[in-house]
Amino acid sequence: MRLSFGGVLADAVILWRAERDVVLRIAGVFFLLPVLALAMLLTRLPEMAEASSQAEMLATFRAFYTANFAWLLLVSLAVDFGSFVLLNLFLHGNRTVRDLLLASLARFVPFVLLGFVTGTVVNLGFALWVLPGIYLFGRSWMMGAAYAGEPERGFLAAIERGFRLSAGNGWRIALLGCGTVAVMGSAALVLAILTQAITLLAGGAAWVQAIMLVPVAAAGAAAYIAFTLVRVAIYRRLAGSISGT
């Protein structure tokens, strides 16, 4: 089956309209708050803009990462859990929020491990060049969705299932996923630049920056929601076309 860009996006809109209230409740806790915390952490890195060399910039980043590792890990786990909850919502449905959270928590550790494995493979691809990284992302993005949507298959079977589902559509999946990130990420970046400009105009007041970071975090949360909606829409189309295989 050849994916239709328009069809996938139309399906994503339908998914959003059907579960908007629940999605916003979950995203508020697991996307908005963690992204806001991350944005506030990143405001501690003004030295990076003043670094005179790449070596100094890398040293500053390493020091920041070491000092804030626990917080960064917590943010990452919260966002991953929110993504998994939304996958379970869209792929199983008819559950209360409490049931969704409990069901997701019970199977969360393998989902994190799966994300680590696929992320490592994609990063290795990017280490070779941009195009291999993008292609490997397209071939691996359905693995997490397969794990959520077909729990009977287990961890390793989800890897094989996701890879098989993406056959013949690797580049299309990559374009849909990367395109979603590019569009939503650009909006968040514009808001971040405006936040910095307004903060500077206000004399660098911390309270102004804290308030202005809220819409930046909201844009980041919206990006995660859109990313998940597109992911589910792709998976449902592909899984439906070869169900039972």
Side-chain angles (χ1 to χ4, degrees):
M1 173 186 180
R2 300 286 289 180
L3 281 174
S4 163
F5 288 179
V8 168
L9 296 178
D11 288 352
V13 172
I14 293 172
L15 290 168
W16 162 251
R17 290 174 176 171
E19 301 287 358
R20 177 170 50 199
D21 292 341
V22 178
V23 169
L24 289 176
R25 289 162 63 187
I26 294 170
V29 176
F30 297 107
F31 292 160
L32 177 63
L33 294 180
V35 173
L36 179 59
L38 178 62
M40 295 179 71
L41 279 176
L42 291 175
T43 60
R44 302 177 184 178
L45 275 175
E47 317 90 78
M48 289 191 70
E50 302 173 0
S52 59
S53 67
Q54 184 178 7
E56 287 184 10
M57 184 177 294
L58 290 175
T60 300
F61 181 79
R62 280 196 294 267
F64 169 82
Y65 187 83
T66 301
N68 297 282
F69 175 77
W71 287 111
L72 294 172
L73 178 61
L74 185 61
V75 167
S76 177
L77 289 174
V79 170
D80 281 348
F81 186 70
S83 299
F84 192 41
V85 172
L86 290 187
L87 286 174
N88 282 314
L89 168 66
F90 290 123
L91 296 175
H92 298 290
N94 296 322
R95 297 183 183 181
T96 64
V97 173
R98 179 178 180 275
D99 289 341
L100 276 171
L101 294 176
L102 291 176
S104 300
L105 186 61
R107 303 182 66 235
F108 182 54
V109 173
F111 181 77
V112 173
L113 293 176
L114 183 57
F116 176 78
V117 170
T118 57
T120 300
V121 171
V122 171
N123 286 332
L124 288 174
F126 278 115
L128 297 175
W129 199 42
V130 175
L131 290 181
I134 293 175
Y135 179 73
L136 287 174
F137 163 76
R139 293 305 308 271
S140 63
W141 198 29
M142 292 300 101
M143 294 177 183
Y147 175 75
E150 305 170 48
E152 70 281 0
R153 291 183 181 271
F155 176 82
L156 294 177
I159 294 177
E160 185 271 338
R161 170 70 163 167
F163 188 76
R164 182 146 41 92
L165 284 174
S166 65
N169 284 292
W171 287 113
R172 289 173 176 263
I173 294 172
L175 287 174
L176 282 163
C178 295
T180 302
V181 171
V183 172
M184 302 303 296
S186 296
L189 179 60
V190 169
L191 286 173
I193 293 172
L194 288 174
T195 295
Q196 187 65 21
I198 293 173
T199 302
L200 290 174
L201 289 174
W207 67 270
V208 174
Q209 186 175 52
I211 292 175
M212 292 303 301
L213 282 176
V214 174
V216 175
Y224 279 112
I225 292 172
F227 196 61
T228 305
L229 288 169
V230 171
R231 188 182 195 181
V232 172
I234 294 172
Y235 169 77
R236 289 176 62 166
R237 283 187 164 238
L238 295 178
S241 71
I242 54 173
S243 59
T245 63

